Amino acid sequence: MEKENIAVGLDIGTTKIVAMIGKKNEYGKLEILGVGKSKSLGVARGVVNNITQTIQSIQQAIHEAENNSGYKIKDVVVGIAGQHIRSIQHTDYISRNNPEEVIGGADIQLLIDQVNKLAMLPGEEIIHVLPQEFKIDGQSEIKEPIGMYGGRLESSFHVVVGQASSIRNVGRCIQSSGIELSGLTLEPLASSDAVLSQEEKEAGVALIDIGGGTTDLAIFKDGIIRHTAVIPFGGNVISDDIKEGCSIIEKQAELLKVKFGSAWPGENKDNEIVSIPGLRGREPKEISLKNLSKIIHARVVEIIEQVFTEIKAYGHEDPRKKLIAGIVLTGGGAQLKHIKQLVEYITGMDTRIGYPNEHLAGDSDEEFSSPLYATAVGLVMNSIENKTQSAVRKDEIPQPKAPVYRAPIAESYEEMPDENVEEKIIQNVKKEESTGDKIKRSFFDRYVDKIKDFLDNAE
């Protein structure tokens, strides 16, 4: 019997950390086996700023997911975001020695390797190199050059760049939590896999993922990613404004935003008031819902205008670059009342809220089809695509004390404690299973290898 392909995604956000375990069912839909959620401590605007707190939050989410699913997690695909991420457009070419030979995967890899050598700003590294359209001997708009003939192979690239130290810190947190890093995915790309259809990507669409600390943007046209950006503002800034404007504590501000908040001030009447308990015996505080939505409106307008500036920078006003499918909003911030109407008003583009339920199995918990879980669902889908065997049933884990398992590994691991022996056995099983399965290496895989080498040498 074929071993089931269990995938694990880890979404390290500014407000929450989500570990999600899933597998594909017989209909090709994602069946969620378990989810763990913890408050994200030690992450600000998508960047780790306290390693110890982040490790504790990751361990809590992993532990909860394991308990809910009955699986033991070995490795995870992690989402990368944060204000340090930026993207550039770059064009490069190679001259082929023999134009009479057909263009193969090796030629494209050579071109990608050439782009990977681009000089970046100090402390920055290329994370992602995405070929867009190819040109062969002057013939442009070629999407698939393999199998064609030509001497000069040229391509435009979407290059994603980030701070190496920030990404290595994420790698360090994963490793210190007792699990391995099996892949890295740019968070807006993961969210787009979960909530966008292929038709939307072809027609042209802007995905806006409003998270706690950052707002991520990914623009697709003709099925190809054209632009990515990270705006260093998210739902947390709205809560901070409510806290300052209403002179209340953070917890109350967050609750007010979620329960009574609206991005459109005209919706609330002047006499609608909510009473908030005072601190330690003080008088309750009365807050007008109209004033509350004015505070929220001002900040949301600022976030959307910054995103719209990025959309215009991509060239949305050019008829050939027009985003016919408009905007898709996802992430926790997309749950704010009337945000869809406000985005349509500011941008003049068709807008919808993106839910990941299209890819989920019919019997999935309704909670997981919330925009809040879009990135986590996308990361699990990415892990499934890479055919990773990221978790095993707890009842299938071989017991290290049984002599049947000790015999073959006594020489190689005799000095190791029992729990490491157990881990090694699981890793060996994984290696044996994956030898016949050649995984299609993504551009991120080599970067993951680089991070692993760095972490190993830093020991």
Side-chain angles (χ1 to χ4, degrees), residues 188-189 192 196 205-208 216-220 225 227-229:
L189 293 183
S192 67
L196 298 182
V205 67
L207 176 81
I208 303 173
D216 303 334
L217 170 72
I219 296 176
F220 293 84
I225 186 146
H227 188 73
T228 50

Side-chain angles (χ1 to χ4, degrees), residues 57-225:
S57 298
I58 291 172
Q59 284 173 333
Q60 194 182 329
I62 292 285
H63 187 65
E64 193 183 311
E66 288 179 339
N67 286 348
N68 289 344
S69 65
Y71 282 82
K72 174 79 179 154
I73 294 173
K74 296 185 298 173
D75 55 60
V76 290
V77 168
V78 180
I80 288 291
Q83 62 194 60
H84 62 95
I85 299 285
R86 66 184 183 96
S87 65
I88 52 172
Q89 294 297 121
H90 177 72
T91 304
D92 218 321
Y93 74 93
I94 55 165
S95 296
R96 301 178 68 239
N97 296 331
N98 187 0
E100 302 303 313
E101 257 182 37
V102 293
I103 293 167
D107 295 303
I108 292 164
Q109 194 56 54
L110 191 67
L111 192 50
I112 290 167
D113 289 344
Q114 200 163 292
V115 177
N116 270 308
K117 290 173 188 164
L118 278 176
M120 289 292 127
L121 294 171
E124 280 190 336
E125 275 189 23
I126 292 172
I127 314 169
H128 221 357
V129 174
L130 294 160
Q132 298 195 312
E133 278 157 340
F134 292 89
K135 199 186 267 190
I136 300 171
D137 293 346
Q139 183 190 342
S140 58
E141 292 183 19
I142 296 167
K143 285 188 181 174
E144 184 48 88
I146 291 176
M148 299 179 80
Y149 294 91
R152 179 186 162 111
L153 176 64
E154 192 177 333
S155 177
S156 54
F157 290 92
H158 182 76
V159 184
V160 180
V161 180
Q163 286 289 341
S165 57
S166 297
I167 298 157
R168 282 172 185 158
N169 283 340
V170 171
R172 165 69 69 210
C173 291
I174 301 293
Q175 197 182 50
S176 302
S177 302
I179 46 177
E180 290 295 318
L181 180 66
S182 66
L184 282 163
T185 301
L186 196 62
E187 287 200 356
L189 293 183
S191 303
S192 67
D193 284 342
V195 302
L196 298 182
S197 68
Q198 192 53 40
E199 287 85 355
E200 284 176 316
K201 289 180 181 178
E202 288 289 341
V205 67
L207 176 81
I208 303 173
D209 185 344
I210 307 170
T214 58
T215 299
D216 303 334
L217 170 72
I219 296 176
F220 293 84
K221 179 76 177 173
D222 301 325
I224 298 165
I225 186 146

Side-chain angles (χ1 to χ4, degrees), residues 257-275:
K257 179 182 77 174
V258 173
K259 281 200 163 186
F260 303 102
S262 165
W264 203 268
E267 288 296 312
N268 299 109
K269 297 180 181 68
D270 290 322
N271 61 353
E272 287 182 312
I273 284 169
V274 63
S275 180

